Amino acid sequence: MIAAQLAGSHGRIPNDQIACGLFLLSPGVRYPLTRMLQKKLSRTLRLQHRLERATFNLRPGQYSHTPPHRLHSLQVAEAPVLLAYV
């Protein structure tokens, strides 16, 4: 797992209003339930919003909007996944 924040509280461009960056996950990685705002660009990725929601797959060219502070998890399938978040 490698993360690079371009703008935000830990980014190259300091900003307390917005955060954006890239997040690279290796095959087999399971990212536990967490809260953040992201759009996820994927190869094959299983995503879950909230505890009670079913998981679903994201494929190349698709994205998912996770509202701020929404509990979610994701799991990488057979190929690395590069996520872009805003």
Side-chain angles (χ1 to χ4, degrees):
M1 179 171 77
I2 299 171
Q5 190 175 84
L6 305 174
S9 59
H10 303 295
R12 186 96 168 127
I13 302 166
N15 193 314
D16 60 355
Q17 300 295 311
I18 191 168
C20 64
L22 300 172
F23 197 44
L24 180 62
L25 299 169
S26 297
V29 167
R30 184 176 189 290
Y31 194 78
L33 288 167
T34 188
R35 295 173 191 209
M36 62 185 77
L37 174 64
Q38 301 185 74
K39 285 191 175 186
K40 298 173 174 61
L41 309 175
S42 68
R43 299 254 327 204
T44 302
L45 183 70
R46 290 199 60 76
L47 181 65
Q48 178 184 9
H49 286 150
R50 299 185 179 181
L51 290 171
E52 70 277 4
R53 298 272 175 97
T55 61
F56 59 95
N57 288 331
L58 290 179
R59 306 220 187 284
Q62 296 180 316
Y63 71 91
S64 171
H65 176 257
T66 303
H69 311 293
R70 173 74 48 89
L71 197 59
H72 66 284
S73 70
L74 48 100
Q75 184 171 1
V76 179
E78 70 285 344
V81 174
L82 179 63
L83 309 176
Y85 67 91
V86 176

